[in-house]
Amino acid sequence: MHRRTLMAAALAVPVGAVVGAEAAQAHRPGPRLPATIALPDGFCPEGITHGTGGKAYIGSMRDGAIYCADLKTGHGMPLVAGTEGGKATGLAFDAECRIWAACGTMGGTAVYDESGTCLAMYHLGGNVHGVAATSKNVFFTDADQGNVYCVGLGRHGSLPGGDAVMTLALPGGLGEAGACNKGIVAAWNGCLIIVQAAANRLYAFDPTTRMAKRIDIGRASVAGADGLLLRGRTLYVVRPGKDRVSKFHLSHDLSRATLVDRITDADLDCPSTVTAFGGSLYAVNARFSTPPATSTEYCLVRLRD
């Protein structure tokens, strides 16, 4: 059983001893970030994205609901109500402060503002899983087909009409049937990094040239991987079945990813995705090995980096 953090509790760091003449003006440390943050029972979480400040948004595979959690305090509240048959898998937060939710086997995406108002919906097709937002486009993986879907943003990042949706057929091994393309992130050079859960591969895909190249991971494994997070040249790969996050250092040309750490915690239980805040990582405990029920407990787990 994981350590369940009470959402109403506030944790504080005791003030340390201060010496010298500056004691009267000693700097008081801020509150300790919670080790775990409880999500609603039966929520069936999958995707997570960091919004403004300490806010994080988590999507539900059960009904498409979105929950807003404060990573500073552990408090949270529903943002988007679920609907029967709805799904929310991967999430992304764009430069215009909008939340993009991939809708899994429903084959589309929904766009919300930070108040939870639905701004737009787009039909993409297939099993839409991972999401990556840039200043000009929002990209989506398809876990069943060799495609990446792209919604091209308008001037100043405005939301476009449905005719702005493009289907990009993936080349070579990246487009291989059954490879199960899941997590996706946008890199510094305009390429997209995509992980293949079934094929145990990382790829870099250039959506402009439509060219793809496999990223060499040496003897490391990304089998069964789900979400990705990119910070600078550090790539985090979430591996649910291993209860850990694999940390890679990427070469500048994206030809190689070198495994530098395996991050785990006693509270991890089939993590699906991860986001970053305040020097820490926050992983979603999706608990895929536990049959979901209305009483099933879920949480976010803060990880060392």
Side-chain angles (χ1 to χ4, degrees):
M1 179 66 66
H2 59 72
R3 300 189 304 268
R4 181 162 185 167
T5 301
L6 296 176
M7 292 187 289
L11 302 178
V13 177
V15 178
V18 181
V19 296
E22 298 179 353
Q25 299 180 10
H27 175 70
R28 178 175 297 171
R32 179 183 296 128
L33 295 174
T36 60
I37 297 175
L39 301 174
D41 289 352
F43 190 71
C44 295
E46 212 281 345
I48 187 171
T49 188
H50 178 223
T52 55
K55 294 178 183 177
Y57 301 103
I58 304 97
S60 169
M61 293 184 294
R62 184 187 68 184
D63 57 11
I66 296 179
Y67 187 80
C68 177
D70 188 329
L71 301 178
K72 296 178 182 178
T73 66
H75 294 271
M77 60 180 294
L79 183 77
V80 176
T83 58
E84 184 175 354
K87 289 182 182 293
T89 51
L91 299 180
F93 192 76
D94 71 11
E96 304 303 319
C97 298
R98 297 179 298 228
I99 305 156
W100 293 74
C103 298
T105 52
M106 294 179 66
T109 180
V111 190
Y112 303 95
D113 65 18
E114 288 193 281
S115 72
T117 300
C118 185
L119 303 175
M121 298 186 73
Y122 299 95
H123 178 72
L124 306 174
N127 183 0
V128 185
H129 192 85
V131 192
T134 72
S135 61
K136 295 182 179 180
N137 301 286
V138 183
F139 298 96
F140 304 81
T141 55
D142 189 320
D144 295 335
Q145 303 179 44
N147 296 322
V148 160
Y149 305 108
C150 174
V151 178
L153 301 178
R155 188 176 183 183
H156 305 304
S158 61
L159 293 174
D163 57 355
V165 174
M166 296 181 289
T167 298
L168 311 180
L170 298 173
L174 184 55
E176 185 177 289
C180 194
N181 295 335
K182 284 206 165 183
I184 182 172
V185 289
W188 53 86
N189 60 356
C191 286
L192 303 170
I193 299 173
I194 298 172
V195 67
Q196 296 184 307
N200 185 24
R201 297 181 299 216
L202 279 177
Y203 267 91
F205 172 65
D206 187 328
T208 301
T209 65
R210 311 288 177 91
M211 301 292 290
K213 64 179 179 181
R214 186 172 174 180
I215 300 173
D216 182 5
I217 60 173
R219 295 185 178 182
S221 175
V222 293
D226 197 338
L228 299 181
L229 173 68
L230 185 63
R231 301 177 76 187
R233 285 169 59 182
T234 300
L235 179 70
Y236 301 90
V237 181
V238 184
R239 301 188 65 196
K242 299 294 183 179
D243 288 338
R244 69 186 185 213
V245 178
S246 295
K247 181 179 179 179
F248 291 87
H249 178 74
L250 294 169
S251 62
H252 183 70
D253 63 357
L254 297 181
S255 63
R256 171 173 286 275
T258 303
L259 181 66
V260 295
D261 199 3
R262 297 180 178 92
I263 305 169
T264 189
D265 187 277
D267 284 325
L268 285 182
D269 186 355
C270 290
S272 54
T273 52
V274 67
T275 193
F277 173 71
S280 296
L281 303 176
Y282 281 85
V284 173
N285 258 0
R287 306 192 69 192
F288 292 133
S289 62
T290 301
T294 55
S295 60
T296 304
E297 297 178 354
Y298 297 96
C299 71
L300 306 181
V301 179
R302 181 166 63 88
L303 304 174
R304 65 172 176 82
D305 182 7

